[in-house]
Amino acid sequence: MIKADAYGHGMAQVAATLDADGYAVARLDEARQIREQAVVKPVLVMGGVYSRGEVEEAAGLDMDLALHDEWQLGLLLDARPARPLRVWLKINTGMNRLGLPGGRAPYWIQRLAACVAVNGVQGLMTHLANADDPGDPLTQRQCRRLRDVPGAQGLALNIGNSAGLLGCAEARTDWVRPGIMLYGISPFLHETGGQRGLLPVMTLSAPLIAVNHCRKGDRLGYGGTYQCPEDMPVGVIAIGYGDGYPRHAPSGTPVLLNGRRVPLLGRVSMDTVMVDLRGLPAPDIGDQAILWGTGLPAEEIAGASGTIAYELLTGVTRRVRYEHVNQEPA
Ligand SMILES: *Cc1c(COP(=O)(O)O)cnc(C)c1O
């Protein structure tokens, strides 16, 4: 899964580094970008196509399409693209977001077999709604519903997202679609990738740009929500919500500075955050703080901020300078 700029990591760089049988994106625009990077492997567009023009473009880009409703399938029946497309039928097995009812599969498998725009139905896919909660019986039920779709025999099945792959044997199908785990993040609630032996790929860092010697009673930042309980050093780090650091991170959220956790103080600004430097020996202007990544799980920052690591990774803004390093895990 390299949608959303490879979960914020850079789609082109990830596709160039990550060996896979194929890649998947959510939208045709992303598919166009990935082919511009000279990626020749199969690319699945999970959202499919929404107009006759998009059918032609998808064919020109040699895409695999996941098709989730009858209207989309109807587009293909009338299309005469320059080359036929490979299609997957997306079946709704209980998430009730996108997908055909399983009972419609035999009809469409038959129609598409005779459709000149299509190079056969590659298989059936479905998406799991609650796989992040390993105790939820819906996951197994969804897997069984896909397997039992009439006409599924002989077709490839495609189920596992990260949580399905790690948590449910039935979701380990012919094709699988891992996303977040590739980037070293756990898909499960209340757990970090490290607990599964996954290493975070993204590290977000920023320099310390000021050390203020605040007095007892001083209030910090917008709204003055934090009041110093004593005379204390307060650091200012050059990152904020304008970079994708979550504005809702509360006072106390950890920041890693010189190998130690220091707590965030007061409100997150657009360009800066403040941290408590008490107990940190000799902090220096220019010291690099880690906001999440190696040594500080994004899952923990997400939890403190009332969101999930997916949102943090995909929310890093264009202002942040990316450095792609090729590094074998130690
Ligand atoms: C994003 C997505 C995935 C990957 O999910 P992860 O939780 O990141 O592994 C798989 N399938 C579909 C349809 C998706 O939209």
Side-chain angles (χ1 to χ4, degrees), residues 1 3 7 24-26 44 46-47 90 95 97-98 125-128 132 158-165 176-183 187 310:
M1 282 290 156
K3 60 182 173 175
Y7 291 56
V25 293
L44 173 67
M46 289 183 302
K90 183 158 187 177
M95 184 160 184
R97 188 177 64 175
L98 296 174
M125 61 181 276
T126 198
H127 194 47
L128 301 172
D132 59 341
N158 183 339
I159 304 181
N161 57 358
S162 300
L165 263 172
V176 290
R177 309 185 305 277
I180 199 81
M181 67 184 286
L182 301 174
Y183 306 99
Y310 293 76

